[in-house]
PDB file of all heavy atoms in Angstrom:
ATOM      1  N   ILE E 718      27.843   3.746  68.170  1.00 97.00           N
ATOM      2  CA  ILE E 718      28.366   3.758  69.650  1.00 97.00           C
ATOM      3  C   ILE E 718      26.962   3.829  70.469  1.00 97.00           C
ATOM      4  O   ILE E 718      27.080   3.234  71.479  1.00 97.00           O
ATOM      5  CB  ILE E 718      29.104   5.134  69.731  1.00 97.00           C
ATOM      6  CG1 ILE E 718      30.527   5.082  69.222  1.00 97.00           C
ATOM      7  CG2 ILE E 718      29.107   5.549  71.309  1.00 97.00           C
ATOM      8  CD1 ILE E 718      31.351   6.258  69.183  1.00 97.00           C
ATOM      9  N   VAL E 719      25.990   4.582  69.925  1.00 96.00           N
ATOM     10  CA  VAL E 719      24.690   4.486  70.799  1.00 96.00           C
ATOM     11  C   VAL E 719      24.109   3.110  70.698  1.00 96.00           C
ATOM     12  O   VAL E 719      23.568   2.652  71.770  1.00 96.00           O
ATOM     13  CB  VAL E 719      23.817   5.625  70.160  1.00 96.00           C
ATOM     14  CG1 VAL E 719      22.418   5.444  70.807  1.00 96.00           C
ATOM     15  CG2 VAL E 719      24.246   6.977  70.484  1.00 96.00           C
ATOM     16  N   GLU E 720      24.046   2.468  69.518  1.00 95.00           N
ATOM     17  CA  GLU E 720      23.425   1.173  69.428  1.00 95.00           C
ATOM     18  C   GLU E 720      24.214   0.196  70.372  1.00 95.00           C
ATOM     19  O   GLU E 720      23.630  -0.784  70.730  1.00 95.00           O
ATOM     20  CB  GLU E 720      23.552   0.742  68.032  1.00 95.00           C
ATOM     21  CG  GLU E 720      22.579   1.425  67.097  1.00 95.00           C
ATOM     22  CD  GLU E 720      22.727   1.216  65.671  1.00 95.00           C
ATOM     23  OE1 GLU E 720      23.432   0.095  65.265  1.00 95.00           O
ATOM     24  OE2 GLU E 720      22.200   1.863  64.826  1.00 95.00           O
ATOM     25  N   LYS E 721      25.570   0.249  70.430  1.00 97.00           N
ATOM     26  CA  LYS E 721      26.233  -0.544  71.343  1.00 97.00           C
ATOM     27  C   LYS E 721      26.182  -0.156  72.811  1.00 97.00           C
ATOM     28  O   LYS E 721      26.822  -0.883  73.718  1.00 97.00           O
ATOM     29  CB  LYS E 721      27.887  -0.621  70.975  1.00 97.00           C
ATOM     30  CG  LYS E 721      28.032  -1.093  69.608  1.00 97.00           C
ATOM     31  CD  LYS E 721      28.646  -2.416  69.655  1.00 97.00           C
ATOM     32  CE  LYS E 721      29.010  -3.047  68.246  1.00 97.00           C
ATOM     33  NZ  LYS E 721      29.027  -4.466  68.289  1.00 97.00           N
ATOM     34  N   GLU E 722      25.505   0.902  73.067  1.00 97.00           N
ATOM     35  CA  GLU E 722      25.275   1.338  74.439  1.00 97.00           C
ATOM     36  C   GLU E 722      26.567   1.747  75.146  1.00 97.00           C
ATOM     37  O   GLU E 722      26.729   1.642  76.381  1.00 97.00           O
ATOM     38  CB  GLU E 722      24.432   0.305  75.328  1.00 97.00           C
ATOM     39  CG  GLU E 722      23.117   0.112  74.746  1.00 97.00           C
ATOM     40  CD  GLU E 722      22.281  -0.830  75.569  1.00 97.00           C
ATOM     41  OE1 GLU E 722      22.701  -1.316  76.666  1.00 97.00           O
ATOM     42  OE2 GLU E 722      21.063  -1.061  75.261  1.00 97.00           O
ATOM     43  N   LEU E 723      27.522   2.279  74.240  1.00 97.00           N
ATOM     44  CA  LEU E 723      28.814   2.748  74.963  1.00 97.00           C
ATOM     45  C   LEU E 723      28.550   4.243  75.464  1.00 97.00           C
ATOM     46  O   LEU E 723      29.220   4.605  76.530  1.00 97.00           O
ATOM     47  CB  LEU E 723      29.947   2.626  73.865  1.00 97.00           C
ATOM     48  CG  LEU E 723      30.264   1.334  73.356  1.00 97.00           C
ATOM     49  CD1 LEU E 723      31.272   1.331  72.194  1.00 97.00           C
ATOM     50  CD2 LEU E 723      30.716   0.468  74.560  1.00 97.00           C
ATOM     51  N   LEU E 724      27.905   5.051  74.779  1.00 97.00           N
ATOM     52  CA  LEU E 724      27.534   6.275  75.105  1.00 97.00           C
ATOM     53  C   LEU E 724      26.092   6.475  74.754  1.00 97.00           C
ATOM     54  O   LEU E 724      25.503   5.857  73.841  1.00 97.00           O
ATOM     55  CB  LEU E 724      28.274   7.338  74.437  1.00 97.00           C
ATOM     56  CG  LEU E 724      29.800   7.364  74.649  1.00 97.00           C
ATOM     57  CD1 LEU E 724      30.571   8.293  73.680  1.00 97.00           C
ATOM     58  CD2 LEU E 724      30.075   7.816  76.247  1.00 97.00           C
ATOM     59  N   THR E 725      25.365   7.426  75.386  1.00 96.00           N
ATOM     60  CA  THR E 725      23.964   7.761  74.978  1.00 96.00           C
ATOM     61  C   THR E 725      24.067   8.998  74.049  1.00 96.00           C
ATOM     62  O   THR E 725      25.119   9.614  73.831  1.00 96.00           O
ATOM     63  CB  THR E 725      23.183   8.251  76.219  1.00 96.00           C
ATOM     64  OG1 THR E 725      23.757   9.456  76.794  1.00 96.00           O
ATOM     65  CG2 THR E 725      23.195   7.231  77.338  1.00 96.00           C
TER      66      THR E 725
END
Side-chain angles (χ1 to χ4, degrees):
I718 288 170
V719 170
E720 289 171 14
K721 295 256 182 199
E722 297 182 359
L723 301 172
L724 294 172
T725 65

